[in-house]
Amino acid sequence: MPLPTGINPRPGALRSLRLGEHTVTVVPDGAVQLHPRRWLPDSTDRDWAGDHAGVLDEQGYIGTSVAGLLVEYDGRALLLDAGFGPHDIPAEQTIDTIGALHGGQLPEALAQTGRAPADIEAVAFTHLHDDHIGWAFRPGPDRSSPFAGAALLASAGEWDGWPVPPDAATRARPVTPGEEIFPGVTAWATPGHTRGHLSYVISGGGQRLIAFGDVFHTSAQLSRPDWRVSMDALPEQAVRTRHEMLAELTRPDTLAFANHFAQGQLGRVTPSGGAARWEPLLEDPA
């Protein structure tokens, strides 16, 4: 049965889990449709009619979510990625690789956790594409960012040449791969989708959770990591990064935050017949 375009259409249905002294919560913002053959040009119509048909929505697009991840520790709060912002773009106004794109839920979702934007000490970006920076840099006409008091973190490669607004310049800070940006949260260089793309590893309670950003956009790529992505800045490097990421994700102590997986953004990757598959978390891991 086709999936809807994005999961958690109402922010009341939040998903959280505990990692030792850390709590992580998905804060949904919206959804984006990806054209399967244009986004993944190595794929075929047969692929989408067969094993991967379940990730397509009723219009034939890959249905994906847009979300951030709230990380809480000892009263402190970090946000990983900041959604698309309060914008709705119909398919006919987007580029040909995507369909409709919308956001706007993140502030309400954050409120459902009991947090206000002022509680967020830093927003850490995997990369600086619009569906990851929206509420930090594109909040809408005549509206200031709700995270105007937060530090803004991304790799030096992302900030290089990127037009940081004057009101955010003093808060924008480059992150070094391997740096602990928040207690128990470490940056990991995962280039390919963009040159400076970062993932973030959250460690606690004898487990770790990898927020891998746009290393993968859909669970279909887990079994086909060699498929090129038309929007990857470094396609060959992106393939290498996906293989490296898969090796890490299939370790038994590892969970993941998959920003764009509409089937559920918190889960684990398990080997399956020589490939890998996504298992959304329905209950907190033991």
Side-chain angles (χ1 to χ4, degrees):
M1 179 178 297
L3 292 168
T5 308
I7 198 169
N8 274 339
R10 295 185 304 275
L14 300 183
R15 187 72 186 89
S16 297
L17 64 86
R18 293 277 297 181
L19 293 171
E21 297 181 41
H22 293 77
T23 299
V24 299
T25 305
V26 177
V27 281
D29 189 51
V32 58
Q33 296 174 310
L34 306 179
H35 190 291
R37 291 292 311 281
R38 294 171 186 162
W39 193 264
L40 297 162
D42 296 333
S43 67
T44 66
D45 288 338
R46 184 175 180 179
D47 292 318
W48 301 109
D51 293 343
H52 305 305
V55 303
L56 300 182
D57 66 18
E58 294 178 352
Q59 296 174 283
Y61 289 97
I62 301 169
T64 75
S65 65
V66 174
L69 188 71
L70 174 67
V71 183
E72 298 176 282
Y73 174 82
D74 194 27
R76 299 170 60 183
L78 166 77
L79 183 65
L80 301 181
D81 285 334
F84 185 57
H87 311 283
D88 287 282
I89 303 178
E92 58 269 22
Q93 295 181 18
T94 62
I95 58 177
D96 64 0
T97 54
I98 67 174
L101 175 60
H102 71 269
Q105 299 173 7
L106 190 144
E108 183 184 349
L110 191 62
Q112 292 287 328
T113 72
R115 289 287 186 176
D119 297 330
I120 306 301
E121 64 181 70
V123 180
F125 305 104
T126 55
H127 62 298
L128 299 178
H129 283 173
D130 285 353
D131 57 331
H132 295 258
I133 65 169
W135 285 101
F137 291 114
R138 300 179 65 248
D142 303 319
R143 298 180 63 178
S144 62
S145 168
F147 303 110
L152 304 170
L153 312 180
S155 73
E158 291 294 297
W159 292 126
D160 185 26
W162 197 83
V164 180
D167 62 342
T170 60
R171 297 182 289 116
R173 182 171 72 77
V175 170
T176 302
E179 179 182 349
E180 186 177 62
I181 63 163
F182 185 82
V185 181
T186 303
W188 177 16
T190 49
H193 185 59
T194 63
R195 294 177 181 276
H197 190 284
L198 293 175
S199 298
Y200 295 96
V201 182
I202 304 157
S203 302
Q207 291 188 305
R208 62 177 184 166
L209 182 144
I210 301 175
F212 57 68
D214 282 14
V215 174
F216 298 99
H217 295 88
T218 168
S219 58
Q221 293 171 281
L222 297 174
S223 60
R224 301 299 300 268
D226 291 326
W227 276 350
R228 291 171 299 131
V229 174
S230 60
M231 293 294 289
D232 281 347
L234 303 170
E236 293 181 2
Q237 176 60 62
V239 169
R240 291 193 293 271
T241 293
R242 283 193 287 276
H243 280 282
E244 292 167 0
M245 181 63 73
L246 275 175
E248 296 293 330
L249 292 173
T250 52
R251 281 176 42 176
D253 60 347
T254 301
L255 303 170
F257 168 59
N259 184 319
H260 290 306
F261 285 17
Q263 302 97 319
Q265 300 95 341
L266 292 176
R268 55 168 51 92
V269 176
T270 59
S272 177
R277 63 187 177 91
W278 180 247
E279 290 187 357
L281 290 181
L282 302 179
E283 299 178 358
D284 285 349

